[in-house]
Amino acid sequence: MTESTASATSNPKALRQTLRRSDTYYAKGFPELQETIRDELQTQYKSTLVETIRANGYTYTRGDVTIKLAQSFGFCWGVERAIEYAYEARRRFPDRQLWITNEIIHNPQVNQQLSNMGVRFVVQQDGVKDFSKISPGDVILWPAFGASLQEMEFFQQNGNEIVDTTCPWVSRVWNQVDKHRTREFTSIIHGKYAHEETIATSSFADKYLIVLDMEQARYVAHYILHAADDPAAQPELRTEFMQKFEKAMSAGFDPNTDLERVGIANQTTMLEGETKAIAKLFETTMLRKYGPQELDDHFISFNTICNATQERQDAMFELVEEPLDLMVVIGGFNSSNTTHLQEIATAKGLKSFHIDGPACIRDDNSIRHQTLHGGIQISQNWLPAGAIAVGVTSGASTPDRMVSDAIERIFQLKQ
Ligand code: SF4
């Protein structure tokens, strides 16, 4: 059976409640096993060098290199929790097949480690997951990004035990989307339509539209004000809208009728300032269209950006104000929150390199890195001669061990 053949539930809230009451569903890990995995996690993911730098006011000099770490970086609470639950699940079910429906987090090394522990990853092709190899009785791990309603329903009916590591910040957004649904509002989700978290979040909505950024939000706002009421006069605008958001809207979405009542939600790792600006834009748009008396019937919004994302972005804004020669941003190339950290450095005009691990830093003073457009590049002679100050930060899925290995590579090259 594949994901596409699983049927969508008509009552997401009821399904989640049923799951929570089930004795084959685990959403709080296995606290009795915490002690048994502590040392393993410490060895694999922590770093004494990073602890030293933290204790030293986030600055550390060796030879010609001064490292300045962001005051907040790396593993967030939700990611640490997801990894702990996965390790505990392995101990709790030593003889059972464990599956994970996606990467547990956006970090290749952590996912490889789980694979080494015998956890199998569900295969995906063209965005469709193949669940055909999963047998009743297998144990399913849901990653920190969560799972779609269709997946929840499928595994519940398939007789699987479920270890749910979904970050509570993500399920908080689901609750907001569920409120939109029950009040018959369309959810406008600030996010990336192909991102696992946004796929899961949108599955909780009856009607949704996903906007990537402020530019797309402005396009939608303009449509609400200038085209939605006069479709006969401007049919080409509707066609353009449908093409533009083809992959980013719910089935049967009609921009002329489904943008009259909108609620704002977001992928938790988007730039906080942009999410707020988008919410403000739609509030103003609905105010202009319907007036202050009717605003509550046409617009709802709550801030659902997670603390960890916000703290890392704030720390990055502070770090880029320091005198730095260059920045190194460490995190999975498909990590949304890491990409946003890179955006902050680039917007400041800093020479900044987004790498997904220490192996990107090569012996010949070249570096393999991802540009903001998503392309992978090799840059030569990236470390200048003489004394340098290097800013370092990492995304919420990046272990301290990886940060310290990258820093050690820089020290080696500058010896
Ligand atoms: S970045 Fe935020 S939402 Fe994502 S796992 Fe971490 S705490 Fe949870």
Side-chain angles (χ1 to χ4, degrees), residues 178-226:
D178 200 58
K179 281 184 190 150
H180 301 167
R181 187 184 62 80
T182 50
R183 289 184 61 188
E184 298 184 355
F185 276 58
T186 292
S187 294
I188 293 185
I189 303 169
H190 177 214
K192 299 175 179 175
Y193 68 78
H195 191 283
E196 305 89 312
E197 183 189 316
T198 298
I199 291 169
T201 296
S202 60
S203 75
F204 286 83
D206 279 347
K207 287 185 179 157
Y208 68 84
L209 180 72
I210 300 165
V211 294
L212 176 64
D213 53 21
M214 195 61 185
E215 188 186 329
Q216 288 197 350
R218 281 200 198 98
Y219 179 92
V220 176
H222 184 269
Y223 192 94
I224 291 172
L225 288 175
H226 303 291

Side-chain angles (χ1 to χ4, degrees), residues 76-79 144 167 169-170 197 268-269 306 308-309 396:
C76 61
W77 171 81
V79 160
C167 178
W169 282 97
V170 174
E197 183 189 316
T268 51
T269 48
C306 86
T309 299

Side-chain angles (χ1 to χ4, degrees), residues 185 223-225 228-229 255-262 282-299:
F185 276 58
Y223 192 94
I224 291 172
L225 288 175
D229 287 342
N256 295 339
T257 54
D258 292 334
L259 290 170
E260 290 173 1
R261 293 155 61 80
V262 300
F282 282 110
E283 183 180 21
T284 311
T285 301
M286 295 321 228
L287 198 58
R288 280 177 65 187
K289 183 156 183 176
Y290 297 104
Q293 266 79 31
E294 289 193 41
L295 183 63
D296 290 347
D297 291 332
H298 295 275
F299 176 79

